[in-house]
């Protein structure tokens, strides 16, 4: 009986440890794989194919841009030009939680503009900017754009390369 209780208690401890640690481990792997560009710099991938696995289950009709962010020392100004028929910007914390999403319908302008801060980011006056607070100082920003046809990709690619990420003083 003692052995059974010990095994069950051990299983419960391992279960909760895995639940607590696994999301952070998954995100560390994702961030290391996405580190094609420097931290706080957008990387633009090609259109996904059946063999693409840079992003889990990529959609072949979406153009992806991503960056690993670090806002521990400075806030980031992020500007993403919109492209029809759909553009979105999403943020993922160090534990894989999706902490915000903005799309072309909620942006209220011709581009998505945010100032990204984290718990360790020194605060200053960001004017009237839309401030998004990440629950962690590191994470991933992901831009998704619908590409309605292969012929539309060149124009969409040109627009996504105009996106800017700038550290603020």
């Amino acid at each position: 009986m003692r052995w059974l209780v010990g095994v069950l208690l051990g299983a419960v401890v391992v279960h909760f440890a895995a639940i607590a640690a696994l999301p952070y481990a998954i995100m560390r792997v994702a961030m290391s794989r996405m580190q094609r560009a420097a931290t706080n710099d957008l990387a633009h991938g090609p259109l996904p194919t059946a063999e693409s696995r840079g992003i889990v289950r990529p959609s072949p009709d979406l153009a992806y841009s991503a960056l690993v962010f670090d806002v521990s020392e400075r806030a980031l100004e992020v500007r993403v030009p919109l492209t029809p028929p759909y553009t979105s910007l999403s943020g993922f914390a160090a534990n894989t939680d999706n902490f915000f999403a903005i799309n072309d319908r909620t942006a209220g302008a011709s581009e998505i503009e945010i100032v990204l801060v984290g718990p360790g980011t020194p605060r200053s006056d960001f004017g009237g900017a839309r401030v998004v607070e990440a629950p962690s100082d590191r994470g991933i920003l992901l831009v998704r754009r619908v590409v309605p046809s292969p012929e539309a990709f060149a124009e969409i690619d040109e627009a996504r390369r105009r996106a800017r990420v700038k550290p603020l003083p």
Side-chain angles (χ1 to χ4, degrees):
M1 185 64 159
R2 281 182 165 171
W3 180 83
L4 182 59
V5 170
V7 168
L8 288 174
L9 184 59
V12 168
V13 169
V14 168
H15 174 75
F16 283 107
I19 288 172
L22 196 57
Y24 292 95
I26 290 169
M27 194 58 129
R28 274 194 304 276
V29 169
M31 288 191 292
S32 69
R33 286 184 182 171
M34 295 176 73
Q35 203 73 51
R36 287 179 277 164
T39 299
N40 297 335
D41 193 18
L42 275 168
H44 309 287
L47 278 177
T49 65
E51 290 77 37
S52 298
R53 288 296 174 254
I55 293 173
V56 177
R57 294 184 172 181
S59 174
D61 60 348
L62 292 178
Y64 295 93
S65 301
L67 73 86
V68 174
F69 69 80
D70 183 345
V71 291
S72 59
E73 296 180 17
R74 301 195 304 185
L76 292 178
E77 177 183 67
V78 180
R79 294 175 174 257
V80 176
L82 303 179
T83 55
Y86 180 79
T87 305
S88 71
L89 172 65
S90 302
F92 298 88
N95 65 351
T96 71
D97 284 353
N98 176 218
F99 63 90
F100 87 97
I102 301 171
N103 62 37
D104 52 2
R105 291 159 182 88
T106 59
S110 61
E111 64 182 4
I112 297 170
E113 293 180 61
I114 66 162
V115 172
L116 183 65
V117 299
T121 308
R123 299 298 200 268
S124 63
D125 180 21
F126 301 123
R130 181 184 300 192
V131 177
V132 173
E133 183 160 354
S136 58
D137 286 328
R138 290 183 46 83
I140 294 173
L141 292 182
L142 184 62
V143 180
R144 296 177 185 100
R145 298 171 188 275
V146 169
V147 180
S149 69
E151 297 77 31
F153 180 69
E155 187 176 328
I156 289 170
D157 189 46
E158 188 275 322
R160 73 182 180 154
R161 291 179 188 280
R162 289 195 318 266
R164 295 290 170 250
V165 178
K166 178 175 83 172
L168 296 175

